């Protein structure tokens, strides 16, 4: 192939047929081999030599090239089926770092244009018909190209293609209009050990996320509306969203939109919302009309966006919608509209270029749903760009068209398949000529490619994700088909028990579904008709739009499945709390609606993030994570479109409507026997509503008919589970934002918000600021751990289950505990009757619990059955403390012993010598022999090898040694694994997939000991090295026994009763939870359960005995861990001060409302600080070392009464916060902070394990990996713990408090509450005052430091506002006292005492009033940190039992 000077191409094979003039115009011969051929031809003809420009060095011949090998100095780009652009660059231009070749597209004329310099030639070429099939020849060998080049290639290959078809072409740069792909940048390798690298990371100050405190519910401000939108506004948004969906009621939505736009720049609005209305207007004009009206709406709204009058600007979606409008109604189109008033293509294209929006993003926008329309719009824009002389835009559009026409490359290294081709439409086709074929343009191909480039990674393979997509997309459709099939073919499908008609439940569900679907269709229609008559301003009361978002058939299935799922929740046997059921059902409908949106918009899923060789803790690694996540979040956000969150009010209302309809139609047929022994039948409601009392409160509950509840404990339940309650078949979607990750389509949040809009706002803004990259990465690591069902264990579980026996903590089919019998003297002996009633109540509760446990186990078994043989994944999210939990609630490794025994890792690794040893230690731990040295644990297992073999080979027929273990099902799984390894012939090479655990020793106390440098505490929790593992629970138990001995000598009744019976298990839970803030009541309940389980004392004595023992246990713990107690107190007092503080900017408004309270008949005044208390809205907030903001959600009850069709419910409104609960904030802060620390330690360990290639899972402070990896994980656990506690955790917390709350004030009146004053004094808090100020602050004298030189810390700027009122009140009070003293009879002692008491109260009130209007900075009042002990955290490396 040769290039001629006039831009044409010629073939060397045609050389002899060329004229002399044609030969003379040859400018460049492509490829060395052809140059040689041409030289030979010229020599034969003795023609003149064709000169090649000196500045273009010849390309060396490549032996691999089957055809031509292009010079690296020639950039070749194809931008349409028959156009080629060759750009020739001088060598020195290519060495210029700032040099970026650009592309241009030209008209059909053959021209030679000089660009940039006289030495750079751009040769646009019209391909002659002889080589018209360039699309089959240009980039045909796709598998041989570099990976990025294949994105642009066309896989077609024709038999008659020219030799040029097999050319190996070096891939050119990405087009300028596409975001440059962030390929896997080689990170710097780890140059320092993990300990030093991690220490350097943790030594830096974590970035704070600081937001304003929410305002009281009766106040608002523009800033507050940005972070905490109110319920009314949120209701309006959700109604608006529902009305727009499927064009349900666009005019009504427009009315709400106009109201929200009255406030310019309303923070609840965004460009996405404006685009949603533009899209709806164009859709209505297309489908319903009137066309001119809605196009006028669209034109007006577009102009507002373009002018930015309302502080919002257009984006790619905006221009895509306006192009659609023009295309559909343009004068020369299929539906011409005379006098069309809309944006023209030239105007739109000019705006796109001015705003620097890639035109490819516009033509691939989700709103363009038709590939045909996309092609027409590309052509329209290309024509416009030619008219406007925009060569760059022409090139971009051509490239977009090319990418859209390519077939997606789904798998590597797969033989190429010919794509589906269609005949290319041509106006100049000649009869009889072979038709020209082309790859059809598909808009989804282009979108997929752009998403891939912008996220700089491969998208999730459709083949890999097929089953997961089916699981999430069509769950309700599949459920309907199954139920229908079983209704038609009602058969005996019980779980091994032929007496059970196993499909009874499914048959009922199908009957309920058909009836409920019909009922809902009518109900929604009736509601819509009623609401259609509502006045426009009543839009917030609409519910028909919500019910219309999901088809009635799906609403029916959602209702049935959700109610069945909630059975037994909230402590209600055979039922559920009404409030919880209604809100949960409404939320399920909302989730399904948003899942439909995700499925409809075909959102592409990014791959899981990774950090590379440098790990997650280097600056480069962190930046890489941030860039990848931001790119992925942008793609997925743009693809989703706009939807609004529903409020609790809406959820409960929708849930009430659905539950009422279900209760009306759901029936079951019950049979019984009359007194004559004859069978009788009766149709009864399947669900009914009633009330019951719990802890003195009257609660509405929804109960299941007993026969339905019975079936739930027996029948197969796979039809009652939604995918969001199941494991996943593919790796979870990586977390790219606060509400985007986990399941592919089902929307979940990265944090489980506790009815707190504040928590959600903090996480959202922290994610947007890039502060939580390692938190998201940690969740991705945990979610990407593969699991499988352990079939050996499952077979045993299933057999035990079908037998109905009580075994291995499995509940029996029939409660096997005998019912207490009434004593003979019950009618005459009140005490005997009381004891009998107590025992009967306990027996009834145990029976009900047995049934609930049976239902729960049934769920686990059915899920395990469904996933046998599959590799599964468990998506994770966080609680508000940062602790990670699997999202599937039924079967996961965080569950009970049965759940853990059923699971194993999805990948196996060779056991090795150390792995075999750790497998034995693991078995010993599970059995309960876990407090001995490791060698003794190994010896224990080797002594019981016969029992282990018997358990593995005959788990039910043998001696059942495994049932005596603390964790029997995990013990059985380990017995089977060890048996298989030892019998394999080479145990060290045995491929083991069993998770092996490393558990912390009372991990909360470990953190306290490390924080406080507590030597004594460190010894008890294995932070310090020792020959044997310390057991803090046994030690506390021994301390309690010593106290009991002393009390028994004094004749204490319960000491005598409990003496010698205090085992480690009795006190274990109390010791463990003391550091997490357990109260005396909680400790008493924990100990009471242990006493009852072990039958230590009679049931009727348990409560009093537990009360006595709890007080002694808490006393002993306090003596043992004094360092922990000091830190707990510091936490608590800091929280009490913060929760009583008020932002400085709120003081003027709060103090302006100091009111007089008037009482008749005399005019008396009292000062009220009610307004000031309402302004105490400050939660305790801190930042973990990983940058996660933790917000305590504890506020005073602010419940809203909502009347539903079922009952009136009271729900907390997270969008209407009340003032904080200071006591709860204070008591919860110590345990919550420790939880956030152990969560950070776990995340750090997970990230480093992933970096070093270890499989990792965790259950809070229990870390799991393969047996062969335990030594490496143990090293990582210690390194991360040491690095964490070497970073001055408390110092950083103190510094954060002083930064976060530096402008917050504490009213001095709040310091005279309870024991706060004495506590602050003992902690070292002080208030610096002048001698003059001290005179009026006598009530706080314990805290005062009087100084004439130091600057006072008391702020009296607001005191003048209340001074006058205070004097008035004081005068009135003194006048009253004088009047009363004159009337007192000195001989009346009672009157004199009463007067003295009243005088003292008046003095106290006066002292309190002197404090009003005076404040102190919370940062000036924070107590100093407790003194740290001498324990060196580095010594943990020598402790082999730290985690074991």
């Amino acid at each position: 192939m040769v290039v001629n000077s006039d831009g044409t191409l010629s073939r060397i094979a045609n050389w002899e047929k060329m004229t002399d003039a044609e030969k003379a115009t040859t400018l460049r011969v492509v490829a060395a081999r052809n140059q040689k051929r041409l030289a030979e031809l010229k020599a034969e003809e003795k023609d003149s030599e064709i000169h090649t420009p000196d500045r273009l060095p010849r390309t060396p011949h490549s032996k691999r090239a089957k055809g031509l090998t292009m010079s690296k100095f020639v950039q070749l780009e194809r931008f349409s089926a028959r156009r080629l652009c060759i750009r020739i660059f001088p060598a020195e231009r290519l060495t210029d770092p700032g040099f970026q070749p650009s592309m241009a597209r030209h008209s059909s004329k053959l021209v030679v244009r000089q660009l940039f310099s006289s030495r750079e030639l751009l040769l646009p070429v019209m391909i002659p018909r002889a080589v018209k099939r360039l699309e089959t020849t240009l980039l045909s060998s796709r598998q041989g190209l570099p990976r990025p080049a294949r994105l642009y290639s066309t896989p077609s290959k024709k038999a008659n293609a020219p030799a040029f078809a097999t050319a190996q072409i070096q891939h050119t740069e990405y087009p300028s209009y596409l975001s440059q792909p962030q390929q896997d940048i080689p990170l710097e390798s780890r140059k320092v050990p993990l300990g030093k690298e991690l220490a350097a990371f943790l030594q830096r100050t974590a970035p704070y996320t600081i937001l304003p405190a929410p305002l009281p519910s009766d106040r608002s401000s523009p800033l507050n509306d940005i972070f905490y939108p109110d319920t009314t506004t949120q209701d309006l948004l959700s109604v608006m969203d529902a009305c727009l969906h499927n064009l349900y009621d666009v005019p009504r939505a427009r009315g709400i939109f106009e109201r929200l736009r009255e406030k310019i720049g309303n923070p609840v609005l965004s460009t996405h919302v404006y685009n949603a209305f533009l899209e709806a207007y164009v859709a209505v004009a297309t489908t319903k009309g009137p066309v001119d009206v809605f196009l006028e709406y669209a034109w007006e709204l577009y102009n507002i966006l373009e002018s930015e009058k309302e502080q919002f600007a257009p984006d790619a979606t905006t221009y895509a919608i306006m192009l659609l409008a023009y295309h559909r109604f343009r004068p020369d189109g299929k539906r011409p509209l005379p006098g069309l008033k809309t944006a023209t293509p030239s105007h739109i294209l000019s705006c796109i270029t001015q705003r620097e929006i890639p035109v490819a993003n516009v033509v691939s926008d989700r709103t363009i749903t038709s590939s045909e329309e996309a092609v027409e719009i590309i052509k329209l824009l290309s024509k416009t760009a030619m008219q406007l002389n925009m060569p760059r835009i022409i090139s971009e559009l051509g490239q977009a068209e090319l990418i859209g026409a390519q077939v997606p490359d789904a798998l590597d290294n797969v033989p190429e398949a010919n794509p589906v081709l269609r005949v290319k439409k041509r106006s100049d086709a000649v009869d009889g000529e072979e038709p020209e074929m082309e790859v059809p343009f598909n808009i989804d191909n282009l979108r997929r490619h752009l998403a891939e480039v912008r996220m700089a990674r491969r998208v999730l393979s459709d083949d890999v994700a097929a089953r997961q997509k089916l699981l999430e997309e069509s769950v309700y459709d599949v459920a309907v088909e199954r139920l229908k099939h079983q209704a038609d073919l009602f058969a005996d499908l019980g779980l091994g028990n032929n007496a059970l008609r196993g499909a009874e439940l499914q048959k009922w569900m199908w009957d309920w579904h058909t009836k409920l679907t019909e009922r809902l269709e009518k109900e929604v229609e009736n509601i819509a008709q009623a609401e259609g008559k509502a006045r426009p301003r009543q839009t917030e009361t609409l519910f028909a739009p919500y019910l219309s978002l999901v088809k009635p058939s799906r609403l029916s299935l959602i209702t049935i499945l959700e109610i069945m799922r909630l059975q037994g929740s909230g402590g209600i046997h055979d039922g559920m709390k009404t409030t919880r059921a209604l809100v949960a059902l409404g939320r399920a409908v909302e989730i399904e609606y948003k899942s439909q949106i995700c499925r409809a918009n075909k959102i592409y899923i990014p791959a899981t993030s990774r950090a590379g060789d440098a790990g997650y803790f280097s600056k480069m690694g962190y930046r890489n994570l941030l860039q990848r996540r931001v790119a992925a979040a942008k793609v997925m956000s743009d693809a989703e479109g706009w939807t609004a969150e529903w409020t609790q009010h809406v959820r409960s209302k929708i849930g009430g409507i659905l539950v009422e309809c279900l209760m009306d139609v759901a029936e079951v047929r019950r049979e019984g026997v009359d007194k004559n022994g004859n069978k009788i039948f009766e149709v009864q409601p399947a669900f009914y509503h009633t009330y019951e009392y719990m802890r003195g409160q009257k609660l509405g509950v929804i109960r299941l008919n007993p026969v339905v509840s019975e079936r739930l404990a027996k029948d197969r339940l796979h039809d009652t589970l939604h995918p969001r309650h199941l494991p996943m078949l593919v790796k979870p979607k990586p977390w790219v934002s606060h509400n985007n990750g986990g399941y592919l389509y089902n929307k979940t949040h990265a944090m489980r918000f506790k009815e707190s809009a504040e928590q959600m706002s903090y996480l959202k803004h922290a994610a947007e600021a890039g502060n939580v990259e390692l938190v998201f990465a940690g969740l991705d690591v945990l979610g990407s751990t593969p699991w499988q069902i352990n079939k050996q264990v499952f077979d045993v579980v299933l057999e035990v289950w079908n037998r109905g026996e009580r075994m291995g903590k499995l509940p029996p089919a029939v409660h096997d505990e005998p019912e207490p019998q009434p004593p003979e003297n019950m009618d005459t002996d009140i005490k005997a009757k009381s004891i009998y009633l107590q025992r009967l109540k306990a027996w009834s509760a145990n029976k009900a619990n047995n049934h609930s446990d049976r239902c729960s186990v049934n769920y686990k078994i059915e899920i395990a059955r469904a996933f046998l043989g599959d590799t599964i994944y468990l998506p994770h999210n966080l609680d508000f403390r940062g602790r990670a939990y699997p999202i599937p609630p039924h079967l996961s490794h965080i569950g009970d012993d049965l759940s853990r025994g059923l699971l194993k890792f999805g990948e196996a690794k060779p056991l090795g010598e150390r792995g075999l040893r750790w497998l034995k230690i693991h078995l010993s731990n599970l059995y309960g022999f876990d407090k001995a040295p490791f060698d003794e644990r190994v010896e224990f297992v080797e002594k019981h090898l016969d029992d282990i073999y018997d358990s593995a080979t005959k788990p039910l027929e043998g001696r059942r040694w495994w049932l005596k273990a603390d964790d029997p099902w995990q013990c059985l799984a380990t017995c089977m694994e060890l048996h298989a390894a030892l019998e394999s012939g080479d145990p060290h090479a045995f491929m083991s997939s069993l998770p092996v655990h490393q558990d912390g020793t009372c991990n909360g106390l470990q953190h306290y000991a490390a924080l406080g440098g507590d030597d004594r505490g460190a010894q008890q929790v294995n932070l310090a090295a020792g020959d044997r593992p310390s057991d803090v629970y046994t030690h506390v138990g021994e301390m309690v026994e010593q106290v009991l001995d002393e009390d028994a000598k004094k004749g204490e009744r319960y000491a005598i009763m409990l003496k010698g019976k205090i085992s480690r298990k009795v006190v274990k839970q109390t010791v463990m939870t003391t550091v997490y803030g357990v109260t005396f009541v909680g400790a008493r309940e924990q100990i009471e359960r242990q006493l009852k389980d072990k039958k230590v004392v009679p049931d009727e004595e348990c409560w009093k005995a537990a009360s006595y023992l709890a007080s002694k246990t808490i006393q002993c713990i306090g003596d043992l861990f004094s360092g922990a107690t000091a830190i707990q107190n510091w936490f608590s007092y800091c929280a009490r001060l913060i929760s009583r503080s008020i932002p400085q900017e709120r003081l003027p408004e709060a103090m302006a409302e100091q009111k007089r309270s008037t009482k008749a008949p005399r005019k008396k005044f009292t000062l009220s600080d009610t307004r000031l208390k309402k302004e105490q809205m400050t939660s305790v907030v801190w930042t973990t070392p990983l940058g996660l903001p933790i917000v305590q959600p504890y506020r005073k009850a602010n419940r809203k009464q909502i009347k539903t069709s079922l009952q009136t419910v009271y729900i907390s409104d997270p969008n209407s916060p009340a003032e904080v609960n200071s006591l709860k904030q204070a008591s919860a802060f110590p345990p919550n902070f420790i939880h956030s620390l152990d969560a950070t330690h776990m995340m750090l360990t997970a990230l480093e394990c992933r970096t070093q290639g270890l499989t990792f899972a965790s259950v809070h402070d229990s870390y799991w990996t393969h047996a062969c990896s335990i030594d490496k994980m143990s090293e990582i656990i210690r390194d991360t713990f040491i690095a964490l506690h070497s970073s001055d955790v408390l110092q950083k917390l103190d510094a954060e408090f002083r930064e976060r709350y530096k402008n917050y004030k504490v009213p001095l009146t709040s310091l005279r509450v309870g024991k706060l004053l004495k506590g602050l004094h003992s902690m070292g808090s002080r208030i610096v005052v002048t001698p003059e100020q001290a005179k009026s602050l006598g009530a706080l004298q314990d805290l005062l430091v009087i100084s004439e030189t130091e600057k006072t810390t008391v702020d009296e700027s607001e005191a003048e506002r209340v001074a006058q009122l205070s004097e008035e009140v004081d005068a009135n009070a003194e006048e009253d006292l004088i009047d009363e003293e004159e009337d007192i009879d000195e001989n009346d002692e009672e009157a004199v005492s009463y007067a003295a008491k009243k005088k003292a109260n008046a003095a106290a009130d006066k002292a309190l009033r002197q404090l009003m209007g005076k404040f102190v900075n919370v940062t000036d009042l924070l107590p100093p940190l407790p003194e740290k002990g001498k324990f060196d955290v580095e010594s943990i490396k020598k402790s082999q039992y730290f985690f074991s």
Side-chain angles (χ1 to χ4, degrees), residues 98 170 214 323 346 382 427 451 504 531 681 725 785 802 849 959 1001 1213 1248 1265 1302:
Q170 182 173 349
L323 284 169
S346 59
S382 298
S427 58
E504 184 81 47
E531 291 180 347
F681 302 91
H725 306 130
T785 298
N802 290 337
N849 288 334
R959 297 188 294 272
T1001 305
D1213 183 1
E1248 186 57 27
T1265 190
K1302 61 184 177 182

Side-chain angles (χ1 to χ4, degrees), residues 159-409:
N160 61 347
F164 194 63
T166 58
Q168 295 286 332
I169 300 179
Q170 182 173 349
H171 174 64
T172 58
E173 296 295 327
Y174 274 79
S176 59
Y177 69 91
L178 292 176
S179 300
Q180 293 297 318
Q182 297 170 7
Q183 299 177 359
D184 293 334
I185 302 171
L187 305 177
E188 69 268 16
S189 59
R190 177 168 285 148
K191 299 178 181 178
V192 293
L194 167 64
K196 293 184 179 179
E197 181 183 83
L198 183 56
F201 172 80
L202 293 174
Q203 286 294 341
R204 99 245 187 271
T205 300
Y208 305 148
T209 303
I210 300 180
L211 303 183
L215 296 182
S217 55
D218 58 348
R219 294 290 188 273
S220 65
S221 72
L223 186 62
N224 190 76
D225 293 343
I226 293 175
F227 299 108
Y228 316 109
D230 61 275
T231 299
T232 303
T233 302
Q234 199 64 44
D235 276 339
L236 289 174
L237 287 172
S238 57
V239 171
M240 191 169 72
D241 177 24
C243 287
L244 286 178
H245 184 69
N246 290 334
L247 310 181
Y248 179 83
D249 193 345
V250 176
R252 193 183 291 269
R254 182 173 181 269
I256 301 174
F257 187 43
E258 295 295 330
R259 290 169 54 189
L260 293 174
R261 285 171 51 205
E262 291 173 0
K263 181 179 180 181
I264 300 298
N266 194 328
V268 301
L269 300 179
S270 65
T271 300
H272 286 304
V273 181
Y274 283 73
N275 288 340
F277 275 90
L278 282 176
E279 187 177 0
Y281 293 158
V282 174
V284 172
T286 304
T287 58
K288 299 179 180 180
V291 178
D292 54 344
V293 173
F294 282 93
L295 285 183
E296 180 68 26
Y297 290 162
W299 172 246
E300 291 177 358
L301 194 58
Y302 167 74
N303 279 335
I304 290 172
L305 276 177
E306 195 64 65
S307 65
E308 301 186 26
K309 289 192 298 186
E310 296 182 0
Q311 300 180 10
F312 299 105
D315 59 10
T317 301
T318 309
Y319 294 121
I321 296 169
M322 298 311 295
L323 284 169
L324 272 177
Y326 181 84
H327 167 67
R328 291 175 182 176
F329 302 103
R330 61 182 179 178
D332 58 342
K334 296 180 181 179
R335 300 178 59 185
L337 183 65
L340 172 64
K341 191 175 182 181
T342 185
T344 61
S346 59
H347 168 78
I348 293 175
L349 195 55
S350 298
C351 293
I352 290 173
T353 55
Q354 289 173 8
R355 295 187 182 275
E356 299 181 351
I357 296 174
V359 70
N361 291 359
V362 176
V363 298
S364 66
D365 190 79
R366 63 172 184 82
T367 55
I368 304 177
T369 57
S370 164
S371 296
E372 289 75 15
E373 285 190 318
V375 171
E376 293 300 321
I377 289 174
I378 289 176
K379 291 179 179 179
L380 184 65
L381 289 176
S382 298
K383 181 179 179 181
T384 305
M386 291 173 63
Q387 294 171 352
L388 297 177
N389 192 23
M390 295 181 173
R392 183 180 62 83
I393 299 297
I394 297 172
S395 177
E396 292 178 10
L397 290 169
Q399 192 70 33
E401 184 180 0
L402 170 62
I403 295 168
Q406 77 172 28
V407 174
D409 181 20

Side-chain angles (χ1 to χ4, degrees), residues 1249-1280:
C1249 283
R1250 169 56 55 87
T1251 300
Q1252 300 197 26
L1254 276 62
T1255 302
F1256 181 84
S1258 79
V1259 182
H1260 304 321
D1261 61 346
S1262 177
Y1263 299 168
W1264 301 10
T1265 190
H1266 289 91
C1268 62
S1269 303
I1270 285 292
D1271 289 325
K1272 189 62 181 176
M1273 186 181 73
S1274 296
E1275 180 184 342
I1276 294 172
I1277 291 172
R1278 285 158 176 77
D1279 284 342
T1280 50

Side-chain angles (χ1 to χ4, degrees), residues 24-184:
T25 58
T26 300
L27 172 69
R28 172 85 167 106
V29 180
V30 183
R33 185 177 63 177
N34 286 343
Q35 291 173 359
K36 183 177 180 181
R37 289 180 59 193
L38 181 59
E40 293 173 353
L41 289 169
K42 290 183 177 182
E44 291 176 0
E45 295 185 356
K46 298 181 180 181
D47 204 344
S48 60
E49 183 179 359
I50 303 297
H51 293 281
T52 301
D54 294 337
R55 63 178 182 274
L56 295 174
R58 299 178 182 272
T59 304
H61 176 63
S62 172
K63 294 182 180 180
R64 295 181 58 194
K66 297 180 180 178
L68 304 178
T69 304
M70 298 294 294
S71 166
K72 64 180 179 180
F73 301 105
V74 177
Q75 175 177 328
L76 185 147
E77 290 289 341
R78 181 192 68 177
F79 46 75
S80 74
R82 298 187 61 210
R83 286 197 179 93
L84 178 69
C85 179
I86 298 178
R87 175 168 294 122
I88 304 174
F89 302 107
E92 59 268 30
R93 290 278 289 152
L94 297 175
T95 59
D96 182 2
F99 175 61
Q100 291 186 347
S102 63
M103 295 181 298
R105 187 174 183 179
H106 301 267
S107 63
S108 59
K109 293 183 179 180
L110 300 179
V111 295
V112 178
R113 296 179 57 194
Q114 283 190 285
L115 301 179
F116 302 112
S117 73
S118 59
R119 302 181 65 193
E120 174 185 325
L121 295 178
L122 177 69
L123 303 178
V125 182
M126 282 297 297
I127 308 302
R129 188 162 295 179
V131 285
K132 61 186 176 182
R133 300 182 183 90
L134 183 59
E135 70 273 12
T136 68
T137 65
L138 184 61
L139 296 169
S140 58
S141 185
R142 303 163 65 240
Q143 299 299 333
L145 293 176
R147 181 66 203 154
R150 295 173 59 189
L151 299 176
Y152 294 103
S153 62
T154 302
S156 56
K157 184 184 296 183
K158 285 195 172 185
N160 61 347
F164 194 63
T166 58
Q168 295 286 332
I169 300 179
Q170 182 173 349
H171 174 64
T172 58
E173 296 295 327
Y174 274 79
S176 59
Y177 69 91
L178 292 176
S179 300
Q180 293 297 318
Q182 297 170 7
Q183 299 177 359
D184 293 334

Side-chain angles (χ1 to χ4, degrees), residues 730-792:
V730 296
K731 287 186 179 181
K733 180 169 62 177
W735 287 99
V736 297
S737 68
H738 73 288
N739 63 349
N740 205 332
Y743 290 108
L744 302 188
Y745 297 127
N746 292 303
K747 297 285 287 186
T748 52
H749 286 83
M751 181 178 284
R752 304 178 183 192
F753 307 118
K754 194 175 177 65
E755 295 182 347
S756 172
E758 194 176 6
Q759 288 177 341
M760 182 166 62
S761 189
Y762 264 90
L763 180 61
K764 176 183 176 183
H765 287 85
E768 291 173 351
N771 295 345
V772 289
E773 300 310 310
L774 293 187
V775 176
F776 287 157
L779 289 177
D780 294 341
V781 168
L782 296 173
S784 61
T785 298
W787 299 90
Q788 287 183 348
I789 302 299
N790 191 327
K791 189 175 185 306
Q792 287 182 290

Side-chain angles (χ1 to χ4, degrees), residues 109 252 359 501 554 708 729 776 872 877 915 1038 1119 1371:
K109 293 183 179 180
R252 193 183 291 269
V359 70
R501 296 194 308 175
R554 290 210 169 198
V708 178
L729 293 166
F776 287 157
I872 59 177
N877 63 1
E1038 292 172 352
D1119 294 341

Side-chain angles (χ1 to χ4, degrees), residues 245-246 476 520 524 544-556 558 588-594 596 646:
H245 184 69
N246 290 334
Y476 296 115
L520 285 174
V524 174
Y546 297 101
L547 294 168
S548 302
L549 294 172
V550 181
K551 294 179 181 179
S553 59
R554 290 210 169 198
L555 281 178
S556 171
I558 291 171
V589 176
E590 179 187 11
I591 290 173
E592 175 60 19
Y593 159 56
K594 293 184 177 178
Q596 289 177 359
W646 295 8

